Amino acid sequence: MIRIITDSTCDLSAETLARLDVERLPLIVNFGSQSFRDGVDMSHEEFYRRLAEADELPTTSGLNPMDLARVFADHRANGDEVVGIFLSSELSSTVQSANLAREAVGPDGIYIVDSHQVTLGLGLLIERAAALRDSGLSAAELAAAVEELTERQRLIAVVDTLKYLKMGGRISAAAAVVGGMLGISPIVAVQNGRVELIGKSRGRKAALRWMSEHTQKEEIDLSQTIAFGHSDCPEAMQECMEHFSDLCEHASSILTGSIGCVVGTHAGPGATGLTYFVKK
């Protein structure tokens, strides 16, 4: 049997993961001296409540090699192969830890994939990986297929507030003040495994129009699932989906979910966006 393992930043619900038969391992979220297992000790709703009250941004700790080695060893002892698909190595040490764990256990039958993604970008890869596994691919074929998909994946989102980008040092305090006065909404994308600023507009509606025009320049693969997400603001996601109603109408399926702690730390509440695959 092939076991697909991912981390909690995939932001898929427990119900979805159970349906897909995928194992999720929690990252650690640190608010000062308090630590919580993402998705186990802390829900997304609790995370955003604490974030709103925090004077400093929380930090996250990636999965460590010893814990991963135990998980890998247990599956290999049962005769199962492992395909681990984790958040971008540019954002966390988890991929490095997974490779160290693989070498410690023995590399045979264990495959590690750097998703170069996070949140529902990773979640969308996990959904596709489960479908490919169920189609009968070997573990090696599955890992190779997911790596090919990472090259065709895009994630784009609009941030509702500049507060958390300022707290994280991504923009200056002066820029945050001016941007807030002008109602600037930053537009971000995951590029080369990192979350990068790619545009800005005055307000969410203008930003969503910008995003719609941006995606029209790409050949989106409508035979694949398209995912929409939000950070503690489902109404923002609904507005986003309305701007992309044509994609929603023609896509093979739609996945929706809540953006968790890794992206949420810098985006704050009110962000929304989508992730999809482009054609080869």
Side-chain angles (χ1 to χ4, degrees):
M1 182 180 293
I2 299 172
R3 300 289 186 180
I4 297 174
I5 300 175
T6 190
D7 61 75
S8 57
T9 68
C10 69
D11 291 339
L12 295 176
S13 68
E15 294 76 16
T16 297
L17 289 163
R19 174 176 57 83
L20 297 176
D21 191 20
V22 169
E23 184 175 355
R24 173 181 61 186
L25 304 177
L27 268 68
I28 303 299
V29 185
N30 307 295
F31 279 91
S33 61
Q34 293 183 298
S35 297
F36 306 88
R37 290 172 295 172
D38 181 26
V40 177
D41 305 318
M42 175 177 286
S43 66
H44 287 182
E45 292 77 13
E46 174 67 8
F47 168 77
Y48 284 108
R49 186 189 69 77
R50 284 181 171 269
L51 183 65
E53 298 171 352
D55 294 324
E56 296 181 355
L57 290 182
T59 61
T60 57
S61 303
L63 301 176
N64 69 65
M66 291 181 61
D67 289 342
L68 284 162
R70 281 193 290 268
V71 172
F72 294 169
D74 286 346
H75 287 309
R76 292 300 290 139
N78 291 329
D80 297 332
E81 293 185 291
V82 171
V83 178
I85 308 170
F86 301 107
L87 81 159
S88 172
S89 59
E90 294 288 341
L91 301 173
S92 170
S93 62
T94 296
V95 167
Q96 180 183 4
S97 294
N99 281 312
L100 290 172
R102 175 178 179 267
E103 292 303 317
V105 173
D108 290 347
I110 302 175
Y111 302 85
I112 306 302
V113 178
D114 183 348
S115 71
H116 303 292
Q117 279 289 343
V118 69
T119 190
L120 289 171
L122 174 56
L124 198 58
L125 281 174
I126 295 301
E127 186 204 47
R128 185 60 187 149
L132 290 169
R133 174 202 60 200
D134 296 343
S135 73
L137 293 187
S138 69
E141 290 170 335
L142 174 57
V146 174
E147 286 178 349
E148 188 275 330
L149 281 171
T150 67
E151 299 175 3
R152 298 197 285 121
Q153 190 171 21
R154 307 288 185 268
L155 187 152
I156 184 171
V158 54
V159 176
D160 188 58
T161 175
L162 298 171
K163 173 183 175 181
Y164 301 97
L165 291 170
K166 176 180 76 69
M167 288 176 66
R170 301 300 178 93
I171 59 173
S172 68
V177 170
V178 173
M181 292 172 61
L182 296 176
I184 296 297
S185 295
I187 300 163
V188 299
V190 176
Q191 298 183 152
N192 302 313
R194 299 183 294 272
V195 180
E196 298 182 349
L197 180 68
I198 63 168
K200 55 187 177 181
S201 295
R202 296 188 66 174
R204 183 191 296 153
K205 290 186 183 296
L208 291 173
R209 287 195 297 270
W210 190 100
M211 290 162 58
S212 179
E213 292 170 1
H214 177 82
T215 58
Q216 288 173 15
K217 301 172 185 176
E218 298 188 297
E219 288 191 90
I220 296 176
D221 187 350
L222 296 175
S223 69
Q224 306 280 4
T225 301
I226 295 175
F228 292 85
H230 68 90
S231 57
D232 201 36
C233 190
E235 59 270 24
M237 183 179 71
Q238 184 59 43
E239 186 178 352
C240 182
M241 293 177 70
E242 289 170 0
H243 271 79
F244 291 90
S245 58
D246 188 59
L247 288 184
C248 293
E249 181 180 352
H250 294 97
S252 63
S253 60
I254 300 294
L255 176 69
T256 61
S258 171
I259 297 170
C261 62
V262 172
V263 172
T265 293
H266 297 287
T272 185
L274 72 158
T275 179
Y276 52 88
F277 297 107
V278 296
K279 294 179 180 179
K280 292 182 181 180

